[in-house]
Amino acid sequence: MLEIVHSRATSRGGLFVKLSGILLAVLLAWFYHAVQPPQPKICGSPNGPPVTSPRIKLRDGRHLAYLESGVPKEKANYKVIFIHGFDSCRYDIFPVSQELIAELGIYLLSFDRAGYGESDPDPKKMVNSTAIDIEELADQLGLGSKFHIMGCSMGGEIAWTCLKYIPHRLAGSAIVAPVSNYWWSGFSPRVSKEAFKQQILRDLWAVRVAHHAPWLVYWWNSQNFFPSSSVIAHSSSIFSAPDLKVLGRFEDRAHYVAQIRQQGEYESLHRDMIVGFGSWEFDPMDLKNPFPNNEGSIHLWHGTEDFIVPVSLSRYISQKLPWVKYHELPDAGHLFPLADGMSDAIVRKLVLGDRGV
Ligand SMILES: *[C@@H]1O[C@H](CO)[C@@H](O)[C@H](O)[C@H]1NC(C)=O
């Protein structure tokens, strides 16, 4: 009797083990599928979005879409390349006034960063990739040996990489409300920790996932169990009072906003986060002055009311790099270049330096 009971129990136990094995396999298969980003929808491919802008073909075969404005480059005194931020595209260039463009003779070039808008995704995207793309774009369009760059938000973070990888091509740089990577080794642990904690909880996690588990970024930002990045979700809780004043201008993007993520959120947004918050092979705080003889200048701009990117990190960087001209603006948020006259002020300083007061 006792033996019979015992053998029934073990066969039930065996069944249980088998069932949980199957369940685990099903769960793993589901999870594996859920974390895989979908194939990108490449512009100009049979089922992909159309190509509407001029593009160049890069050495590795990718296309880069661009937008020229201002005076023709042959007549320009200054050539400025704009690097757009996160979840943006070539149309998000600063609204520089026609008066300033004419007065100083400025040619403006902006482009879709890889994976955004109509530029092909870059599956090998690394920290130095955009700087290398910029150099190739400038050469194919015949901008000459030197040009200015101006980058905002995530584009500001990328401007640091231009100082590192293509300093010999730069005539000057404006780095505006730049994203900082909390894991740059130059930050004191206290400063980066305090800035990190200023983010709202959901962004804190989105950034942590991007740094520690890049393979999980697609799933994290496409699932509905936890709130994902508030910037991706367009949550209004990230804007400060000065930002709310110019939000109407920021939202005036209806004619192109659908282009931004059209090739897939993984190719545009998620790769941007993975590189921006990943492990960098250099630290901007170790950079050397690219203009030791004052041939040009590097300007760093940040608003104290920026709730998207903490001002404390730019302030810290400016203390470590005394050759950077730091402009900290009170009553300015993350969107301050859209406020009246600000874009002109940034560009004037960029190309004229101290003469541009
Ligand atoms: C870009 O960075 C990667 C990784 O650090 C390196 O292997 C590669 O050679 C760099 N490319 C260029 C053109 O400098």
Side-chain angles (χ1 to χ4, degrees), residues 233-244:
H234 289 168
S235 160
S236 61
S237 58
I238 54 181
F239 294 113
S240 61
D243 279 340
L244 291 172

Side-chain angles (χ1 to χ4, degrees), residues 107-153:
Y107 160 84
L108 288 172
L109 173 64
S110 73
F111 64 101
D112 289 336
R113 293 201 279 110
Y116 282 106
E118 298 183 7
S119 287
D120 290 337
D122 182 0
K124 299 200 185 95
K125 190 167 163 181
M126 288 179 285
V127 172
N128 57 9
S129 302
T130 307
I132 298 164
D133 287 356
I134 289 173
E135 183 173 34
E136 234 187 304
L137 177 65
D139 287 343
Q140 288 204 31
L141 295 185
L143 262 51
S145 62
K146 296 209 182 218
F147 45 83
H148 290 83
I149 57 165
M150 149 166 107
C152 185
S153 195

Side-chain angles (χ1 to χ4, degrees), residues 158-337:
I158 293 166
W160 293 120
T161 70
C162 294
L163 265 59
K164 170 74 180 175
Y165 294 105
I166 53 166
H168 51 290
R169 304 304 303 274
L170 303 182
S173 174
I175 303 175
V176 184
V179 167
S180 282
N181 182 320
Y182 302 97
W183 290 273
W184 285 337
S185 54
F187 286 130
S188 83
R190 188 184 55 79
V191 165
S192 63
K193 203 168 177 178
E194 270 171 18
F196 188 71
K197 288 206 174 133
Q198 277 173 25
Q199 301 179 94
I200 59 176
L201 194 64
R202 55 193 290 185
D203 292 332
L204 209 126
W205 273 103
V207 165
R208 265 191 193 133
V209 170
H211 183 78
H212 294 292
W215 53 273
L216 196 59
V217 167
Y218 173 71
W219 179 77
W220 184 266
N221 289 292
S222 49
Q223 48 77 35
N224 297 313
F225 305 115
F226 313 103
S228 57
S229 156
S230 66
V231 183
I232 293 183
H234 289 168
S235 160
S236 61
S237 58
I238 54 181
F239 294 113
S240 61
D243 279 340
L244 291 172
K245 276 190 208 153
V246 291
L247 199 59
R249 292 177 189 176
F250 178 66
E251 284 170 347
D252 188 19
R253 309 158 91 203
H255 63 290
Y256 63 83
V257 82
Q259 273 194 22
I260 293 174
R261 309 176 180 185
Q262 65 187 355
Q263 301 187 84
E265 296 195 358
Y266 186 76
E267 302 304 335
S268 45
L269 310 182
H270 302 171
R271 270 194 211 285
D272 221 6
M273 294 177 77
I274 291 169
V275 174
F277 294 109
S279 300
W280 283 37
E281 66 271 14
F282 82 98
D283 186 315
M285 285 164 270
D286 294 332
L287 285 169
K288 298 278 171 292
N289 184 359
F291 308 116
N293 305 316
N294 250 344
E295 318 90 301
S297 47
I298 308 294
H299 297 268
L300 172 60
W301 299 78
H302 218 119
T304 59
E305 306 306 302
D306 189 333
F307 292 175
I308 297 181
V309 182
V311 64
S312 54
L313 298 179
S314 285
R315 191 182 297 150
Y316 189 84
I317 293 172
S318 74
Q319 285 158 3
K320 283 213 151 178
L321 301 178
W323 43 269
V324 165
K325 300 191 183 349
Y326 183 48
H327 313 268
E328 189 171 300
L329 308 176
D331 303 320
H334 194 63
L335 304 178
F336 81 84

